[in-house]
Amino acid sequence: MRRACPDDAIAFARIMGEAPVMRHLLGLPYPDAAIWRARLSASGNPNQYDLRLVGEIDNEVVATAGLMPAHPGVRQRHVGTFGLSVATAAQGKGVGRAMLKTLIDYADNWAQLLRLELVVPRHLSR
């Protein structure tokens, strides 16, 4: 596991473009690597506590995770939202669990977040 960089944009688009992965996300299908490159380039701004990670198996990016501010407002500064995507072929191998543990550690011990929120697509919450 490591911090994501702009060069990981293609992997973000590839993983999130897999139909079995995409149907569990809130994004739109056919993710674009150029959009991910811009997001990853902006990530890590000193004025934000966002964290974007990639998980690798045999030097191949097989998972992505992100922890972002929920809202800049004073009453929600303590809240973060997170997302996690694991390539279909890598599911069930513990990479998602390891990434989630890292996000929680970052939220608790570095970003001083008191609450994490995960938004689940409606068709999955039934």
Side-chain angles (χ1 to χ4, degrees):
M1 186 175 348
R2 63 175 172 76
R3 184 180 283 270
C5 67
D7 289 342
D8 294 316
I10 293 170
F12 271 69
R14 175 181 44 82
I15 292 167
M16 293 181 198
E18 290 182 15
V21 175
M22 176 51 74
R23 68 184 173 125
H24 296 287
L25 304 177
L26 291 175
L28 296 173
Y30 314 111
D32 183 82
I35 292 171
W36 273 110
R37 179 171 290 283
R39 287 181 187 165
L40 294 171
S41 295
S43 185
N45 179 322
N47 298 322
Q48 296 178 329
Y49 60 77
D50 67 316
L51 177 66
R52 294 198 188 265
L53 301 172
V54 294
E56 297 179 320
I57 296 177
D58 297 329
N59 295 318
E60 179 186 355
V61 175
V62 296
T64 67
L67 175 65
M68 290 71 60
H71 192 277
V74 69
R75 295 200 57 195
Q76 291 182 321
R77 280 189 228 158
H78 66 289
V79 180
T81 62
F82 71 96
L84 180 64
S85 305
V86 180
T88 306
Q91 292 177 7
K93 296 183 179 183
V95 68
R97 181 184 321 235
M99 294 182 83
L100 184 56
K101 285 177 71 172
T102 300
L103 290 179
I104 292 169
D105 174 71
Y106 183 78
D108 286 346
N109 298 310
W110 299 98
Q112 285 74 47
L113 295 175
L114 300 175
R115 185 171 81 197
L116 293 179
E117 296 178 346
L118 172 65
V119 178
V120 178
R122 185 180 179 122
H123 71 276
L124 297 176
S125 62
R126 294 180 193 165

